[in-house]
Amino acid sequence: MATVTVTGHLIDIRFSGWERLWTGRERFAVPTGAVRHAAGVPDPIRLARGARRGYAVSGFAKIGVWGLFGGPRQLVAARRGEPGLHLVLDRSTAGGEFDEVVLSTPAGPALAEAIGRATAAGA
């Protein structure tokens, strides 16, 4: 499961071994100023949509990059039955790769609040 840390003006996401394989990265860091919306979600696996490059077992897990041929480009590491975090990003400010991040993490609601506070403090 990915770990998410919010420090100052940076959101640091670190992926576990299998997630690294399918996302193609060990880490994704995004400035809090690039976050348009942050929310804790009860079922993040349902948010991944579109064509993908990654791992998908229907209804169980989605890990990789979704939205390859249209729609929002999403970095996803989500599993069934786990709450999560949904970030909507300003793609250009976030580094130009992704419009959204969808993760399973039990701390999703608390992280969304912390990111909201950090975003408001930076505004």
Side-chain angles (χ1 to χ4, degrees), residues 22 45 48 50 52-64 66 76 78:
W22 295 107
I45 197 168
R52 71 177 187 279
R53 180 184 75 235
Y55 173 80
V57 175
S58 184
F60 180 71
K62 294 180 180 180
I63 304 169
W66 263 249
V76 178

Side-chain angles (χ1 to χ4, degrees), residues 28 34-37 66-67 70-75 86-92 94 96-101:
F28 180 66
V35 177
R36 290 184 177 168
H37 179 73
W66 263 249
R73 174 78 50 108
Q74 299 172 306
L75 179 61
H86 180 212
L87 301 176
V88 177
L89 307 174
D90 176 333
R91 189 172 184 165
S92 61
E97 284 187 89
F98 302 106
D99 300 300
E100 298 181 11
V101 177

